[in-house]
């Protein structure tokens, strides 16, 4: 092989190496960006875990409050029935008192 051909081959290999170096640099940049994305995802994962805990706690509190509200409604209904019964009893007593006054 002639020296000229070897020089041409070496020159092409140098060009290829230069292009590969450029590709390596770009890949390093992509790796760096992906590392940043991984860090942000890890941070978001922690925040999501905390958020899930807060939502779970809130749901438990809401469930307790719903149960307490139901108990309050039942108590209010019972008190309404008692008041209605007492009102009727009071009316009956007033009627009896009026009748007794008329008889006198």
């Amino acid at each position: 092989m002639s020296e000229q051909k070897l020089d041409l081959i070496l020159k092409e290999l140098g060009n290829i190496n230069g292009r590969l170096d450029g590709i390596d640099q770009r890949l390093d940049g992509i790796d760096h960006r992906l590392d940043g994305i991984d860090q942000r995802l890890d941070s978001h994962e922690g925040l999501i875990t905390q958020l899930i805990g807060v939502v779970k706690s809130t749901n438990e509190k809401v469930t307790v409050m719903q149960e307490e509200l139901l108990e309050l409604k039942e108590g209010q209904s019972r008190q309404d029935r008692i008041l209605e019964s007492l009102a009727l009893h009071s009316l009956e007593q007033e009627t009896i008192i009026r009748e007794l006054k008329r008889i006198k």
Side-chain angles (χ1 to χ4, degrees), residues 16-31:
I16 291 171
N17 280 338
R19 289 188 357 224
L20 288 175
D21 288 342
I23 291 171
D24 281 344
Q25 288 176 354
R26 287 185 9 215
L27 289 175
D28 287 343
I30 291 170
D31 281 344

Side-chain angles (χ1 to χ4, degrees), residues 7-66:
D7 286 341
L8 186 60
I9 291 171
L10 287 175
K11 184 178 177 182
E12 284 299 315
L13 286 176
N15 288 339
I16 291 171
N17 280 338
R19 289 188 357 224
L20 288 175
D21 288 342
I23 291 171
D24 281 344
Q25 288 176 354
R26 287 185 9 215
L27 289 175
D28 287 343
I30 291 170
D31 281 344
H32 181 69
R33 286 180 20 211
L34 288 175
D35 288 342
I37 290 170
D38 282 344
Q39 289 174 353
R40 284 190 305 217
L41 286 175
D42 289 342
S43 172
H44 290 162
E45 183 178 334
L47 291 174
I48 288 171
T49 301
Q50 289 176 356
L51 183 59
I52 288 170
V54 168
V55 168
K56 180 180 177 189
S57 173
T58 302
N59 285 344
E60 289 170 355
K61 289 177 182 177
V62 167
T63 300
V64 169
M65 290 174 71
Q66 286 175 332

Side-chain angles (χ1 to χ4, degrees), residues 88-103:
L88 287 173
H89 188 66
S90 176
L91 287 172
E92 288 174 357
Q93 287 179 345
E94 286 179 18
T95 303
I96 292 171
I97 290 171
R98 276 192 215 116
E99 287 176 4
L100 288 174
K101 284 183 179 180
R102 271 188 263 164
I103 292 176

Side-chain angles (χ1 to χ4, degrees), residues 70-83:
L70 183 60
E71 289 174 12
L72 284 172
K73 285 181 177 180
E74 289 172 356
Q76 182 66 45
S77 177
R78 187 172 48 251
Q79 287 180 354
D80 288 345
R81 288 190 305 272
I82 291 170
L83 285 174

